Amino acid sequence: GNSVTQMEGPVTLSEEAFLTINCTYTATGYPSLFWYVQYPGEGLQLLLKATKADDKGSNKGFEATYRKETTSFHLEKGSVQVSDSAVYFCALNPVGGSNYKLTFGKGTLLTVNP
Amino acid sequence: EAQVTQNPRYLITVTGKKLTVTCSQNMNHEYMSWYRQDPGLGLRQIYYSMNVEVTDKGDVPEGYKVSRKEKRNFPLILESPSPNQTSLYFCASSLNYGPYEQYFGPGTRLTVT
């Protein structure tokens, strides 16, 4: 079956530090890949997405590149802010076949200190 | 405003007492899902629906039922809740299945004693 593996947290950084959260996946074909963010007490919201190999999704200074050869979709940001403190989820939507389930990683808690 | 609403937001109940958590979206989305979020386990899909009267099991369907009689509504039913169903529940919808983002509701925190 499909699966998503994220680096385990929590991750604690100082403001303006560089962020990487690793995400690798297992799926057949060419799934669509997503990063969602969950701020405290809220539902998840889309951060960025990529729908085919070598696509780069970007939003709010965050980036992730769809790497088919390494089955990865790592999230990066050059300079984090306190307001980026949240839980980050990597997710995939399979494409094709009869599998319509969506798969999420376990989430990575990021805390950014001033 | 485009949104997914869930009710109630908080619920404390006792083992065996049937309950329903409602979910409604106003975006005319085809695909809807229910998830539960548990510490250390992340987000797991309970049931999903591709359209009206079309539903299927996700990864953790045991103990839950759903229905999709109207496109906008997708209620989650716990016929006989048990303490292991204590969790944070999210409803979500998307335009369709595939490369489309999901829009999440605000969550329902359920405690079963």
Side-chain angles (χ1 to χ4, degrees):
Chain A
N2 301 318
S3 67
V4 173
T5 303
Q6 289 181 234
M7 67 185 283
E8 293 199 14
V11 174
T12 303
L13 296 173
S14 299
E15 207 164 24
E16 298 184 4
F18 184 85
L19 169 71
T20 300
I21 300 177
N22 291 336
C23 172
T24 57
Y25 68 90
T26 302
T28 55
Y30 291 85
S32 297
L33 301 174
F34 302 79
W35 278 101
Y36 287 87
V37 60
Q38 183 182 30
Y39 298 105
E42 298 183 9
L44 283 72
Q45 56 186 274
L46 179 70
L47 181 59
L48 53 84
K49 72 176 186 181
T51 59
K52 60 182 187 294
D54 300 324
D55 264 3
K56 177 187 281 189
S58 62
N59 186 24
K60 299 181 182 179
F62 291 89
E63 293 183 339
T65 301
Y66 189 138
R67 300 285 187 201
K68 180 70 175 174
E69 63 277 13
T70 55
T71 61
S72 65
F73 193 54
H74 305 321
L75 182 68
E76 297 182 337
K77 186 174 185 182
S79 177
V80 293
Q81 305 301 311
V82 172
S83 57
D84 293 326
S85 297
V87 181
Y88 293 81
F89 291 90
C90 186
L92 72 83
N93 293 8
V95 177
S98 59
N99 178 7
Y100 303 108
K101 295 180 189 178
L102 307 184
T103 303
F104 283 75
K106 293 184 177 182
T108 302
L109 173 63
L110 170 66
T111 301
V112 181
N113 295 318
Chain B
E1 179 192 355
Q3 61 182 352
V4 177
T5 56
Q6 294 178 229
N7 282 292
R9 295 288 313 278
Y10 302 91
L11 179 59
I12 300 174
T13 189
V14 296
T15 299
K17 185 176 181 182
K18 181 179 179 180
L19 66 91
T20 299
V21 184
T22 64
C23 172
S24 183
Q25 50 94 4
N26 63 0
M27 296 169 279
N28 201 36
H29 284 171
E30 304 273 328
Y31 189 93
M32 296 186 75
S33 282
W34 275 103
Y35 298 89
R36 59 179 290 173
Q37 183 177 15
D38 301 289
L41 298 176
L43 213 63
R44 295 178 293 169
Q45 193 175 38
I46 302 171
Y47 269 95
Y48 63 89
S49 170
M50 300 287 288
N51 211 325
V52 175
E53 303 292 1
V54 181
T55 63
D56 207 347
K57 297 176 181 178
D59 291 318
V60 287
E62 294 78 20
Y64 304 95
K65 286 176 55 177
V66 293
S67 68
R68 187 98 180 268
K69 294 183 171 54
E70 304 166 286
K71 196 171 187 178
R72 63 184 293 127
N73 296 325
F74 190 46
L76 179 70
I77 304 157
L78 285 72
E79 295 268 3
S80 182
S82 62
N84 65 11
Q85 293 179 296
T86 293
S87 187
L88 179 58
Y89 292 87
F90 288 102
C91 180
S93 72
S94 60
L95 182 65
N96 210 320
Y97 182 78
Y100 303 103
E101 76 170 282
Q102 290 194 80
Y103 293 79
F104 283 81
T108 295
R109 185 164 292 283
L110 172 65
T111 302
V112 183
T113 62

mmCIF file of all heavy atoms in Angstrom, chain B residues 3-23:
data_model
loop_
_atom_site.group_PDB
_atom_site.id
_atom_site.type_symbol
_atom_site.label_atom_id
_atom_site.label_comp_id
_atom_site.label_asym_id
_atom_site.label_seq_id
_atom_site.Cartn_x
_atom_site.Cartn_y
_atom_site.Cartn_z
ATOM 1 N N GLN B 3 -16.084 27.226 3.022
ATOM 2 C CA GLN B 3 -15.677 26.619 4.282
ATOM 3 C C GLN B 3 -16.279 25.230 4.472
ATOM 4 O O GLN B 3 -17.258 24.861 3.836
ATOM 5 C CB GLN B 3 -16.072 27.501 5.462
ATOM 6 C CG GLN B 3 -17.552 27.737 5.592
ATOM 7 C CD GLN B 3 -17.870 28.663 6.780
ATOM 8 O OE1 GLN B 3 -17.010 29.007 7.594
ATOM 9 N NE2 GLN B 3 -19.119 29.060 6.886
ATOM 10 N N VAL B 4 -15.648 24.514 5.397
ATOM 11 C CA VAL B 4 -16.152 23.233 5.883
ATOM 12 C C VAL B 4 -16.495 23.433 7.358
ATOM 13 O O VAL B 4 -15.662 23.912 8.123
ATOM 14 C CB VAL B 4 -15.096 22.119 5.736
ATOM 15 C CG1 VAL B 4 -15.621 20.812 6.315
ATOM 16 C CG2 VAL B 4 -14.700 21.944 4.268
ATOM 17 N N THR B 5 -17.713 23.101 7.713
ATOM 18 C CA THR B 5 -18.138 23.260 9.100
ATOM 19 C C THR B 5 -18.404 21.891 9.723
ATOM 20 O O THR B 5 -18.855 20.957 9.044
ATOM 21 C CB THR B 5 -19.402 24.119 9.202
ATOM 22 O OG1 THR B 5 -20.441 23.534 8.400
ATOM 23 C CG2 THR B 5 -19.147 25.523 8.696
ATOM 24 N N GLN B 6 -18.099 21.805 10.998
ATOM 25 C CA GLN B 6 -18.325 20.581 11.764
ATOM 26 C C GLN B 6 -19.051 20.948 13.037
ATOM 27 O O GLN B 6 -18.768 21.985 13.647
ATOM 28 C CB GLN B 6 -16.997 19.922 12.171
ATOM 29 C CG GLN B 6 -16.155 19.389 11.078
ATOM 30 C CD GLN B 6 -14.855 18.810 11.603
ATOM 31 O OE1 GLN B 6 -13.794 19.126 11.080
ATOM 32 N NE2 GLN B 6 -14.923 17.947 12.602
ATOM 33 N N ASN B 7 -19.915 20.047 13.458
ATOM 34 C CA ASN B 7 -20.577 20.224 14.746
ATOM 35 C C ASN B 7 -20.853 18.871 15.395
ATOM 36 O O ASN B 7 -21.193 17.906 14.693
ATOM 37 C CB ASN B 7 -21.909 20.964 14.551
ATOM 38 C CG ASN B 7 -21.691 22.446 14.349
ATOM 39 O OD1 ASN B 7 -21.274 23.153 15.254
ATOM 40 N ND2 ASN B 7 -21.936 22.907 13.138
ATOM 41 N N PRO B 8 -20.673 18.809 16.724
ATOM 42 C CA PRO B 8 -20.186 19.870 17.596
ATOM 43 C C PRO B 8 -18.669 20.001 17.527
ATOM 44 O O PRO B 8 -18.002 19.167 16.925
ATOM 45 C CB PRO B 8 -20.621 19.389 18.984
ATOM 46 C CG PRO B 8 -20.560 17.898 18.869
ATOM 47 C CD PRO B 8 -20.991 17.580 17.462
ATOM 48 N N ARG B 9 -18.130 21.029 18.137
ATOM 49 C CA ARG B 9 -16.684 21.189 18.201
ATOM 50 C C ARG B 9 -16.092 20.370 19.343
ATOM 51 O O ARG B 9 -14.956 19.891 19.256
ATOM 52 C CB ARG B 9 -16.331 22.661 18.395
ATOM 53 C CG ARG B 9 -16.716 23.555 17.228
ATOM 54 C CD ARG B 9 -15.808 23.313 16.022
ATOM 55 N NE ARG B 9 -14.408 23.291 16.383
ATOM 56 C CZ ARG B 9 -13.660 24.364 16.541
ATOM 57 N NH1 ARG B 9 -14.170 25.570 16.381
ATOM 58 N NH2 ARG B 9 -12.378 24.246 16.851
ATOM 59 N N TYR B 10 -16.860 20.224 20.395
ATOM 60 C CA TYR B 10 -16.416 19.452 21.550
ATOM 61 C C TYR B 10 -17.572 18.568 22.002
ATOM 62 O O TYR B 10 -18.723 19.007 22.013
ATOM 63 C CB TYR B 10 -16.000 20.363 22.712
ATOM 64 C CG TYR B 10 -14.903 21.324 22.357
ATOM 65 C CD1 TYR B 10 -15.197 22.588 21.864
ATOM 66 C CD2 TYR B 10 -13.568 20.976 22.516
ATOM 67 C CE1 TYR B 10 -14.190 23.472 21.518
ATOM 68 C CE2 TYR B 10 -12.551 21.852 22.182
ATOM 69 C CZ TYR B 10 -12.869 23.097 21.684
ATOM 70 O OH TYR B 10 -11.872 23.963 21.352
ATOM 71 N N LEU B 11 -17.235 17.339 22.371
ATOM 72 C CA LEU B 11 -18.281 16.422 22.821
ATOM 73 C C LEU B 11 -17.695 15.440 23.816
ATOM 74 O O LEU B 11 -16.684 14.806 23.530
ATOM 75 C CB LEU B 11 -18.877 15.675 21.626
ATOM 76 C CG LEU B 11 -19.980 14.662 21.924
ATOM 77 C CD1 LEU B 11 -21.152 15.340 22.602
ATOM 78 C CD2 LEU B 11 -20.426 13.976 20.643
ATOM 79 N N ILE B 12 -18.350 15.332 24.962
ATOM 80 C CA ILE B 12 -18.015 14.321 25.950
ATOM 81 C C ILE B 12 -19.227 13.418 26.068
ATOM 82 O O ILE B 12 -20.333 13.902 26.298
ATOM 83 C CB ILE B 12 -17.668 14.950 27.314
ATOM 84 C CG1 ILE B 12 -16.472 15.887 27.160
ATOM 85 C CG2 ILE B 12 -17.372 13.858 28.342
ATOM 86 C CD1 ILE B 12 -16.153 16.665 28.429
ATOM 87 N N THR B 13 -19.023 12.128 25.922
ATOM 88 C CA THR B 13 -20.141 11.192 25.970
ATOM 89 C C THR B 13 -19.721 9.931 26.713
ATOM 90 O O THR B 13 -18.576 9.804 27.148
ATOM 91 C CB THR B 13 -20.616 10.851 24.548
ATOM 92 O OG1 THR B 13 -21.841 10.112 24.618
ATOM 93 C CG2 THR B 13 -19.585 10.012 23.801
ATOM 94 N N VAL B 14 -20.654 9.021 26.847
ATOM 95 C CA VAL B 14 -20.379 7.772 27.561
ATOM 96 C C VAL B 14 -20.389 6.599 26.590
ATOM 97 O O VAL B 14 -20.987 6.655 25.510
ATOM 98 C CB VAL B 14 -21.410 7.532 28.685
ATOM 99 C CG1 VAL B 14 -21.290 8.617 29.743
ATOM 100 C CG2 VAL B 14 -22.818 7.461 28.127
ATOM 101 N N THR B 15 -19.730 5.547 26.989
ATOM 102 C CA THR B 15 -19.648 4.345 26.166
ATOM 103 C C THR B 15 -21.033 3.856 25.775
ATOM 104 O O THR B 15 -21.922 3.755 26.615
ATOM 105 C CB THR B 15 -18.907 3.241 26.939
ATOM 106 O OG1 THR B 15 -17.588 3.703 27.235
ATOM 107 C CG2 THR B 15 -18.824 1.973 26.132
ATOM 108 N N GLY B 16 -21.186 3.571 24.470
ATOM 109 C CA GLY B 16 -22.423 2.974 23.986
ATOM 110 C C GLY B 16 -23.511 3.935 23.560
ATOM 111 O O GLY B 16 -24.512 3.507 22.973
ATOM 112 N N LYS B 17 -23.366 5.204 23.814
ATOM 113 C CA LYS B 17 -24.414 6.161 23.457
ATOM 114 C C LYS B 17 -24.181 6.696 22.055
ATOM 115 O O LYS B 17 -23.245 7.477 21.813
ATOM 116 C CB LYS B 17 -24.446 7.300 24.460
ATOM 117 C CG LYS B 17 -25.588 8.266 24.237
ATOM 118 C CD LYS B 17 -25.634 9.319 25.333
ATOM 119 C CE LYS B 17 -26.798 10.263 25.107
ATOM 120 N NZ LYS B 17 -26.848 11.337 26.125
ATOM 121 N N LYS B 18 -25.047 6.338 21.136
ATOM 122 C CA LYS B 18 -24.895 6.698 19.733
ATOM 123 C C LYS B 18 -24.743 8.201 19.543
ATOM 124 O O LYS B 18 -25.429 8.995 20.203
ATOM 125 C CB LYS B 18 -26.102 6.209 18.946
ATOM 126 C CG LYS B 18 -26.054 6.515 17.448
ATOM 127 C CD LYS B 18 -27.271 5.987 16.730
ATOM 128 C CE LYS B 18 -27.231 6.325 15.241
ATOM 129 N NZ LYS B 18 -28.422 5.824 14.517
ATOM 130 N N LEU B 19 -23.850 8.587 18.647
ATOM 131 C CA LEU B 19 -23.688 10.014 18.371
ATOM 132 C C LEU B 19 -23.392 10.225 16.888
ATOM 133 O O LEU B 19 -22.944 9.311 16.174
ATOM 134 C CB LEU B 19 -22.577 10.600 19.234
ATOM 135 C CG LEU B 19 -21.156 10.124 18.995
ATOM 136 C CD1 LEU B 19 -20.443 11.008 17.966
ATOM 137 C CD2 LEU B 19 -20.366 10.135 20.288
ATOM 138 N N THR B 20 -23.653 11.443 16.448
ATOM 139 C CA THR B 20 -23.389 11.842 15.071
ATOM 140 C C THR B 20 -22.637 13.160 15.082
ATOM 141 O O THR B 20 -23.013 14.100 15.789
ATOM 142 C CB THR B 20 -24.694 12.023 14.277
ATOM 143 O OG1 THR B 20 -25.399 10.790 14.241
ATOM 144 C CG2 THR B 20 -24.401 12.486 12.846
ATOM 145 N N VAL B 21 -21.590 13.216 14.310
ATOM 146 C CA VAL B 21 -20.854 14.461 14.084
ATOM 147 C C VAL B 21 -21.173 14.918 12.661
ATOM 148 O O VAL B 21 -20.983 14.161 11.705
ATOM 149 C CB VAL B 21 -19.339 14.271 14.247
ATOM 150 C CG1 VAL B 21 -18.623 15.609 14.100
ATOM 151 C CG2 VAL B 21 -19.017 13.635 15.589
ATOM 152 N N THR B 22 -21.670 16.120 12.547
ATOM 153 C CA THR B 22 -22.074 16.599 11.224
ATOM 154 C C THR B 22 -20.916 17.302 10.524
ATOM 155 O O THR B 22 -20.024 17.857 11.165
ATOM 156 C CB THR B 22 -23.261 17.552 11.316
ATOM 157 O OG1 THR B 22 -22.876 18.727 12.037
ATOM 158 C CG2 THR B 22 -24.428 16.892 12.023
ATOM 159 N N CYS B 23 -20.949 17.268 9.217
ATOM 160 C CA CYS B 23 -19.967 17.943 8.379
ATOM 161 C C CYS B 23 -20.688 18.492 7.165
ATOM 162 O O CYS B 23 -21.458 17.770 6.511
ATOM 163 C CB CYS B 23 -18.873 16.980 7.955
ATOM 164 S SG CYS B 23 -17.738 17.685 6.728
#
